[in-house]
Amino acid sequence: MIEFRGRLKDIAIDWKTGGYNVTFTTDNKTIPAAIESLKDNDIDVKACKHREKRSLDSNAYAWVLMQKIAEAIGSNKDDVYIRCLQRYSRSFTHIIVKANAVDRMKEEFRTCVDLGEITVGGTTGHQLQVYYGSSTFDTKEMAVFIDGIVSECHELGIETMTPEQIATMNAAWNAK
């Protein structure tokens, strides 16, 4: 397998076959050796817009803070996580399901809010707001998520990293 960060350079049509030739550029020096094993084989290709990944440290820090919140309010960290997703995440989608599927969807997705009945094209269903988990967040989404959690900690008198430490951690997320 070969995976690299690069830029789309060109798309051209092969006049003989009618197929497309797609060219990418990269500074990755491991490409030539990796390409050799793929030559003359069908391959699966996926190109998507680059997004910085959040660090595992940021996720671990979020869970530590959520555990502290849970202890302070007499709850558990999973319930705090769900509440924090609903408050601080903008990473969700809306789906419409049949009324008899609402309970099942709530079981399948940790954070699923029933927004009520909706009629589309003459068919009635329930609109659900389904949140993606923090493991899917990029650095910006995770930074917003942690800022919200830190704010709750301050309201509850829970000690957190200093703003300078959080800024340093945010800079480290963006560097990865």
Side-chain angles (χ1 to χ4, degrees), residues 83-139:
R83 193 183 78 226
C84 287
L85 279 178
Q86 291 173 336
R87 287 183 177 173
Y88 309 117
S89 172
R90 299 297 171 252
S91 187
F92 58 81
T93 191
H94 290 108
I95 60 174
I96 299 171
V97 299
K98 294 178 181 178
N100 63 355
V102 172
D103 290 337
R104 176 69 187 265
M105 292 299 291
K106 287 182 176 182
E107 290 172 12
E108 295 293 326
F109 294 93
R110 288 174 89 173
T111 309
C112 181
V113 179
D114 186 351
L115 301 176
E117 276 192 6
I118 186 170
T119 302
V120 178
T123 303
T124 300
H126 278 253
Q127 183 177 15
L128 305 178
Q129 186 165 309
V130 181
Y131 288 81
Y132 298 105
S134 61
S135 64
T136 67
F137 291 179
D138 62 18
T139 54

Side-chain angles (χ1 to χ4, degrees), residues 3 47 69 77 79 81 86 96 98 136 138 150 176:
E3 187 174 321
I69 291 170
K77 68 181 176 187
D79 288 343
Y81 171 70
Q86 291 173 336
I96 299 171
K98 294 178 181 178
T136 67
D138 62 18
V150 166
K176 291 185 187 267

Side-chain angles (χ1 to χ4, degrees), residues 1-4 31-45:
M1 184 175 109
I2 181 172
E3 187 174 321
F4 62 93
I31 298 295
I35 292 290
E36 193 61 37
S37 67
L38 300 176
K39 249 200 289 191
D40 301 322
N41 292 300
D42 284 342
I43 60 172
D44 294 322
V45 178

Side-chain angles (χ1 to χ4, degrees), residues 3-68:
E3 187 174 321
F4 62 93
R5 182 176 175 178
R7 287 190 173 262
L8 178 64
K9 180 178 180 183
D10 191 31
I11 300 174
I13 297 175
D14 184 311
W15 66 274
K16 287 182 183 178
T17 66
Y20 292 91
N21 294 319
V22 182
T23 306
F24 295 92
T25 60
T26 185
D27 294 333
N28 188 320
K29 305 295 185 217
T30 64
I31 298 295
I35 292 290
E36 193 61 37
S37 67
L38 300 176
K39 249 200 289 191
D40 301 322
N41 292 300
D42 284 342
I43 60 172
D44 294 322
V45 178
K46 177 183 176 184
C48 56
K49 187 176 178 181
H50 177 74
R51 291 175 53 172
E52 294 294 337
K53 303 281 190 246
R54 54 136 177 103
S55 73
L56 292 177
D57 290 342
S58 63
N59 196 41
Y61 184 59
W63 280 102
V64 165
L65 294 180
M66 288 184 286
Q67 178 64 42
K68 289 181 180 183

